[in-house]
Amino acid sequence: MSTLTLPDPAAPCGRRPARLRHELRAVHALVYRDLLRLAGQRTHTALMLLHPVLYLLILGGGLAALVPHGSLGVGYQTYLFPGVLMMTVQMPAITVGARLISDRERGYLRELLMAPVGRSTLLLGCCLGGTLVATAQGAVLLGLAGIVGLPYDPSLLLLLLAGMILVSFTITALALALAVTLRRGETFHMLLGLVMMPLLFVSGAFFPLQTLPGWAHTLAGANPLAYGVDLLRRCISLRVPDQAAVAGIEWAGRQPPLPLEGVLLLASGALALLWAAHRFSRPE
Amino acid sequence: MTATITSPHAPHRAPESVYAISTRGLARSYPGPEGTVTHAVRDLDLDVPQGETFAFLGPNGAGKSTTIALLCALARPTAGRATVAGADVLTQPLQVRRQVGMLFQHSALDPDLTADQNLHVQARLYGLGRRHARERAAEVLETVGLTDRRGSPVRTLSGGMRRRLEIARGLLHAPRVLFLDEPTTGLDPHARAEIWKHLRALRDRHGSTLFVTTHYLDEAENCDRVAIIDHGTLVAQGTPLALKSAIGDDRVVLHTSDDVTAQQVVRRTAPPDRVVTVESEGVCLRVPDGSAWIPRLCAALQGHGIAVHAASATPPTLDDVFFHHAGRSIHGTQPGRTPKPTSPYPITAEAGGGR
């Protein structure tokens, strides 16, 4: 067979369905790349998973004896579980941003840009790949639900999975928005190192937001991670009412409805992605 | 739009696509420091016919990579226009990219994926169906001779193998024009020869149009046509032979037992308009087709009882062509090779010795 024959001479590339199919294939290519990397780097994946497990078992186990049950409404490990799920998806999601920058530095991004698809398509592919990989890792952590005293109830697990998809998407989109504005990997990592810890502390993952000083509590109201943790925690209390922890996010003393939290996360992720796509599409 | 998508071997073609690449007045400038404007490429007129191997020769920073970026619709020209494989780079960038393959100067593969996986991801990016992508990956791996390494992670491949894999990746979507930006830089001579073997096979077997940038003169020498670029401006283009013969003739040097007498004999034998000089290495003469003149000159000299100890005819090199047009050697100023604007043909012994 000749090397230089056109792939599909019958497919006119100008037509809209063909164009859409090409864009979808490009998205799939990037998601596929992420899955291949996930499958190929087992040690890396295992280490990424170990981190939240250690938090749950060591920090959770250690503090469980100290933190009185009544102050949280649930045992400390149960309280910590949504936060740990959030941490699990957060790491691979942020890795997507870091990889966009390293791809740019290594020249791989330019290869991607040569593909005959829109640049926003490429960014969408990165985002979906990151979301999928993050959710897959989070799903593994769901296996620990029993340790923290939660039932392996299919509807609870599905609800938590859906919540993690949403949180993964938002964090991936935010990481990508940051990554397209920064050219240097060092800056990205430094900024994350600076910001991630405080964001995590005012997310309600480790202790209730109500115990925070007033200004930090205000900060939590604008923290996407706080909404992520709150969403996951309320998913648990929705299915297992006797494991309902104290309230997280509150607007003027009232909890916002759960669907609204979900919509907020989705909207902020979508906005971040749109903005990133806009930045990314600017010609060099 | 559909009309331009024909098989590369189709004999009939729209008149404008006789050229695989055609540019008129193509320019790209950047805002430089302190309000100045840096002209990376200016006023470029190029015509590359289908199936030609075209070398773009110039020193580092001459504007070669910028030109390629413009032709692949990766960067937007600030002036002029260009069509590649029948599509306009300004108005049909996606169509251009669908038709061209690209090998960047600093190309990159995903080191954690295998050769096969890298190719599959790339094929899907170019919109190939799943099954077709697998078939093409197998074919191009065969083409560059890497079938036995298909399952190896890219980080375990040697530099030459990676470069070949990158060429294979550029071929996946069966491009009509393949751009190769410094395809052999950083490779050892064996790997370089291997790359060129594959490139020549592409041209001969499939009639691919290859646009190669290089600063290796011997590589440009092997191409059908050469364009020389310096400081963003095209200074000359033509076949290597035409370029070299345009700037001057072979330099014939005869080392004889009596150079002064020999000078008179050579002057009578050679065409009347030729200048014959005596230099330290012997009698010098610049004449087209120099090697054919050596036996005639030797015979004439022997007829006058003059012994010829050594004779040489040195053809001009592409470096001499570059030197002629740019006033310096392509690899920077070499010792003993200062530009002499008055001399029409500043060739020296080491220029010929390098061949």
Side-chain angles (χ1 to χ4, degrees):
Chain A
M1 192 166 181
S2 161
T3 311
L4 285 201
T5 45
L6 276 180
D8 192 0
C13 54
R15 267 198 236 136
R16 200 151 281 279
R19 169 81 197 270
L20 184 67
R21 199 172 63 218
H22 281 165
E23 307 275 335
L24 286 177
R25 280 176 179 167
V27 169
H28 178 260
L30 291 173
V31 174
Y32 181 66
R33 177 186 174 215
D34 275 331
L35 291 180
L36 283 177
R37 291 179 66 100
L38 182 72
Q41 304 179 312
R42 293 198 193 87
T43 321
H44 184 76
T45 311
L47 285 176
M48 278 228 276
L49 282 174
L50 188 65
H51 189 243
V53 172
L54 289 180
Y55 263 87
L56 186 67
L57 297 184
I58 297 177
L59 183 78
L63 286 180
L66 295 177
V67 182
H69 196 281
S71 66
L72 298 171
V74 288
Y76 187 68
Q77 276 184 314
T78 318
Y79 181 82
L80 196 59
F81 192 58
V84 163
L85 288 182
M86 206 271 306
M87 282 168 66
T88 313
V89 300
Q90 165 211 317
M91 244 190 303
I94 283 173
T95 308
V96 171
R99 207 173 57 242
L100 186 78
I101 295 180
S102 72
D103 275 351
R104 189 195 290 280
E105 287 175 338
R106 286 190 300 115
Y108 191 81
L109 186 68
R110 213 174 27 172
E111 311 279 349
L112 296 182
L113 294 181
M114 268 304 287
V117 290
R119 289 193 177 189
S120 359
T121 306
L122 296 175
L123 206 67
L124 184 68
C126 289
C127 187
L128 289 186
T131 306
L132 194 62
V133 167
T135 310
Q137 300 200 10
V140 176
L141 257 275
L142 280 183
L144 296 181
I147 294 182
V148 302
L150 292 176
Y152 289 105
D153 167 26
S155 57
L156 171 68
L157 297 181
L158 277 178
L159 205 57
L160 282 176
L161 198 65
M164 281 195 295
I165 293 175
L166 189 57
V167 175
S168 306
F169 166 73
T170 307
I171 301 177
T172 311
L174 288 172
L176 281 174
L178 190 63
V180 293
T181 54
L182 301 175
R183 294 275 146 157
R184 285 158 48 89
E186 288 99 327
T187 323
F188 185 80
H189 288 294
M190 209 181 74
L191 201 65
L192 280 183
L194 204 70
V195 162
M196 278 327 287
M197 201 49 124
L199 279 186
L200 211 53
F201 280 145
V202 294
S203 70
F206 301 116
F207 36 78
L209 293 173
Q210 279 68 23
T211 59
L212 289 170
W215 60 270
H217 198 189
T218 321
L219 206 63
N223 179 2
L225 298 189
Y227 287 89
V229 174
D230 200 42
L231 183 93
L232 292 174
R233 191 164 287 145
R234 287 170 74 179
C235 284
I236 294 177
S237 53
L238 204 63
R239 294 302 309 167
V240 198
D242 60 328
Q243 294 284 22
V246 291
I249 292 281
E250 281 182 336
W251 292 348
R254 294 184 53 177
Q255 269 197 308
L258 183 58
L260 183 61
E261 281 191 8
V263 168
L264 269 179
L265 275 173
L266 189 66
S268 52
L271 272 178
L273 191 61
L274 278 177
W275 186 80
H278 172 71
R279 268 300 292 256
F280 195 59
S281 299
R282 281 202 313 209
E284 310 269 308
Chain B
M1 259 184 155
T2 21
T4 55
I5 314 285
T6 49
S7 153
H9 305 298
H12 50 81
R13 197 175 292 287
E16 76 271 12
S17 56
V18 172
Y19 292 117
I21 302 164
S22 179
T23 74
R24 287 292 173 271
L26 196 67
R28 169 79 189 184
S29 51
Y30 303 93
E34 291 158 21
T36 56
V37 177
T38 309
H39 297 279
V41 173
R42 50 181 136 189
D43 208 23
L44 194 68
D45 292 346
L46 280 180
D47 286 310
V48 181
Q50 300 276 353
E52 188 172 78
T53 301
F54 188 83
F56 212 43
L57 182 69
N60 290 328
K64 301 188 298 272
S65 297
T66 306
T67 306
I68 283 202
L70 292 174
L71 293 179
C72 294
L74 271 184
R76 288 175 73 85
T78 41
R81 55 189 186 81
T83 48
V84 175
D88 191 296
V89 295
L90 260 179
T91 56
Q92 303 165 295
L94 292 193
Q95 198 164 333
V96 167
R97 273 185 240 147
R98 204 168 287 130
Q99 307 274 3
V100 303
M102 179 71 201
L103 182 73
F104 286 103
Q105 186 174 355
H106 305 289
S107 213
L109 296 153
D110 193 326
D112 299 319
L113 303 187
T114 66
D116 223 9
Q117 290 170 339
N118 263 290
L119 292 179
H120 189 72
V121 168
Q122 178 82 358
R124 298 288 289 168
L125 274 172
Y126 275 79
L128 270 61
R130 229 177 286 247
R131 206 166 58 92
H132 193 61
R134 292 201 194 291
E135 286 167 9
R136 287 293 300 163
E139 278 170 36
V140 294
L141 278 173
E142 180 78 49
T143 305
V144 299
L146 282 175
T147 304
D148 54 329
R149 300 304 298 270
R150 56 186 303 164
S152 311
V154 165
R155 66 183 127 75
T156 65
L157 300 182
S158 73
M161 286 179 183
R162 275 185 216 196
R163 211 62 180 141
R164 266 149 60 200
L165 182 58
E166 282 158 4
I167 291 176
R169 178 174 61 177
L171 295 174
L172 269 175
H173 59 292
R176 283 162 59 178
V177 184
L178 189 60
F179 288 95
L180 303 129
D181 197 0
E182 309 269 356
T184 57
T185 299
L187 298 182
D188 61 53
H190 173 74
R192 273 177 69 188
E194 189 82 352
I195 299 275
W196 273 99
K197 194 184 84 193
H198 290 301
L199 292 183
R200 268 192 287 274
L202 273 180
R203 180 185 62 179
D204 298 343
R205 252 181 266 150
H206 309 297
S208 322
T209 308
L210 305 180
F211 188 99
V212 186
T213 76
T214 182
H215 59 255
Y216 288 123
L217 298 157
D218 52 339
E219 293 186 352
E221 200 87 42
N222 286 325
C223 296
D224 298 326
R225 264 185 336 127
V226 178
I228 296 179
I229 186 170
D230 188 38
H231 296 307
T233 314
L234 204 64
V235 292
Q237 64 172 318
T239 64
L241 203 65
L243 281 175
K244 288 183 291 188
S245 54
I247 60 148
D249 315 307
D250 294 347
R251 182 173 184 261
V252 178
V253 179
L254 299 162
H255 181 51
T256 63
S257 54
D258 180 1
D259 283 353
V260 180
T261 322
Q263 189 189 11
Q264 307 300 323
V265 179
V266 169
R267 195 169 279 158
R268 282 197 296 274
T269 317
D273 57 326
R274 297 289 142 176
V275 181
V276 181
T277 55
V278 177
E279 287 171 23
S280 58
E281 68 262 68
V283 182
C284 288
L285 166 72
R286 290 187 178 86
V287 68
D289 207 8
S291 51
W293 276 94
I294 289 179
R296 293 171 63 180
L297 293 172
C298 288
L301 288 169
Q302 264 153 6
H304 286 80
I306 301 167
V308 179
H309 301 312
S312 68
T314 323
T317 64
L318 279 178
D319 195 25
D320 296 313
V321 177
F322 185 80
F323 191 98
H324 177 81
H325 291 288
R328 63 198 157 83
S329 173
I330 194 165
H331 296 299
T333 317
Q334 289 171 3
R337 302 209 56 179
T338 46
K340 280 176 270 177
T342 47
S343 162
Y345 185 43
I347 190 167
T348 55
E350 75 257 39
R355 287 172 55 85

